[in-house]
Amino acid sequence: MKKLYTPCFKAYKQMDTDALRESFLIEDLFEKGKLQLYYTDCDRAVVGSACPTNAPLKLDAGDELRAEYFCQRRELGVLNIGGKGSVSVDGTSYDLVKGEVLYISRGSKEIVFTSENASDYAEFYLLSYPAHKEYPTTKSGLGDANKIDLGNQSECNIRTINQAICQARIPSCQLVMGYTKLEDGSVWNTMPSHTHERRSEVYMYYDIQPNECVIHMMGTPQETRHLIVRNKQVVISPSWSIHSGVGTKNYTFCWGMGGENQQFDDMDPAPTGELK
């Protein structure tokens, strides 16, 4: 398990492009045939991927968690962004096609990822936070998420929010997770911008075409920075940072949050006219 330590809101102001990318961006997460994990000190989140091909991939705790198994003290969200696959949780198998999400309960001991077809393998995105109690392992199918349509054509931000792991659908300890899909011709997400003082957020951008990118805005509202993000890359967004983005073309992104409040609208606005 690799480690990623995020600077405080004072230190980031002194960073150049390379330092910002090293501290807040995961560029190499998805790799064919491998399971990869990053541990971050930002609310103790674990970000990972599993891309099984010819052989299943088993999720282990590693030495970093000081646990007998990965979910001994954690809950886990899984989103498939690739071909059809399955996740086995203590012997129960859950099939996931692209866009489906699985919540895995604290206390789940054996977690195994498998692809149905090695040439069109599943790409499982993993996000985990510490958990204090058990909630049932539950799948969110393509029609199960809480869908919210937002935006308009004049502002280039027509998008659909799919809330999968949330209070209205799948209960959890602190993990809130889903994804937002932008329509063709739309490029802006999460505007006006805001911060979350009571939770951090992790953004995983995908369905970005070759030679296209997303400009992810970060930093405090009064002193912003940006990251150029490519396909299947992940941004760690601390509670003090805004997290808006604009792409050179439409795209999809998975958002996941962990902290002391699960209310989706618990945010502190950063009006566009006040950004610097």
Side-chain angles (χ1 to χ4, degrees), residues 145-159:
N146 184 41
K147 293 184 180 293
I148 303 174
D149 295 320
L150 293 175
N152 58 73
Q153 186 175 10
S154 65
E155 296 179 340
C156 303
N157 63 358
I158 301 175
R159 62 200 189 276

Side-chain angles (χ1 to χ4, degrees), residues 211-258:
N211 301 318
E212 307 291 345
C213 70
V214 172
I215 302 169
H216 178 96
M217 296 173 60
M218 60 161 294
T220 63
Q222 291 72 40
E223 192 162 350
T224 60
R225 299 287 188 272
H226 73 271
L227 298 165
I228 301 297
V229 182
R230 307 292 179 182
N231 194 37
K232 302 177 192 174
Q233 295 183 346
V234 177
V235 177
I236 307 298
S237 182
S239 60
W240 48 264
S241 178
I242 63 170
H243 41 270
S244 296
V246 59
T248 54
K249 207 172 185 300
N250 62 315
Y251 52 93
T252 309
F253 64 97
C254 176
W255 43 265
M257 295 176 278

Side-chain angles (χ1 to χ4, degrees), residues 43-44 70-76 103-107 128-136 167 171-175 258-262:
D43 281 328
R44 292 178 289 167
F70 186 89
C71 281
Q72 184 176 9
R73 299 184 295 269
R74 287 182 162 269
E75 57 189 356
L76 172 65
Y103 171 79
I104 300 179
S105 171
R106 167 183 159 138
S128 171
Y129 286 93
H132 61 274
K133 65 175 292 185
E134 292 78 28
Y135 287 96
Q167 292 178 319
S172 64
C173 291
Q174 63 171 318
L175 174 64
E260 62 178 288
N261 193 342
Q262 294 179 299

Side-chain angles (χ1 to χ4, degrees), residues 87-101:
V87 184
S88 175
V89 182
D90 291 335
T92 301
S93 183
Y94 300 87
D95 293 333
L96 296 180
V97 298
K98 183 177 181 179
E100 294 187 319
V101 175

Side-chain angles (χ1 to χ4, degrees), residues 131-194:
H132 61 274
K133 65 175 292 185
E134 292 78 28
Y135 287 96
T137 295
T138 306
K139 174 183 170 179
S140 176
L142 293 179
D144 297 332
N146 184 41
K147 293 184 180 293
I148 303 174
D149 295 320
L150 293 175
N152 58 73
Q153 186 175 10
S154 65
E155 296 179 340
C156 303
N157 63 358
I158 301 175
R159 62 200 189 276
T160 300
I161 299 175
N162 296 268
Q163 299 174 336
I165 302 174
C166 63
Q167 292 178 319
R169 289 295 188 267
I170 299 176
S172 64
C173 291
Q174 63 171 318
L175 174 64
V176 181
M177 185 175 176
Y179 60 93
T180 299
K181 181 177 177 61
L182 279 75
E183 297 299 318
D184 189 26
S186 291
V187 292
W188 279 100
N189 71 66
T190 320
M191 289 298 283
S193 194
H194 56 266

Side-chain angles (χ1 to χ4, degrees), residues 24 40 42 54 64 82 84 91 110 114 140 182 236 256:
F24 296 100
T40 171
C42 191
N54 295 311
E64 292 80 5
K84 185 177 180 180
E110 186 176 71
T114 306
S140 176
L182 279 75
I236 307 298

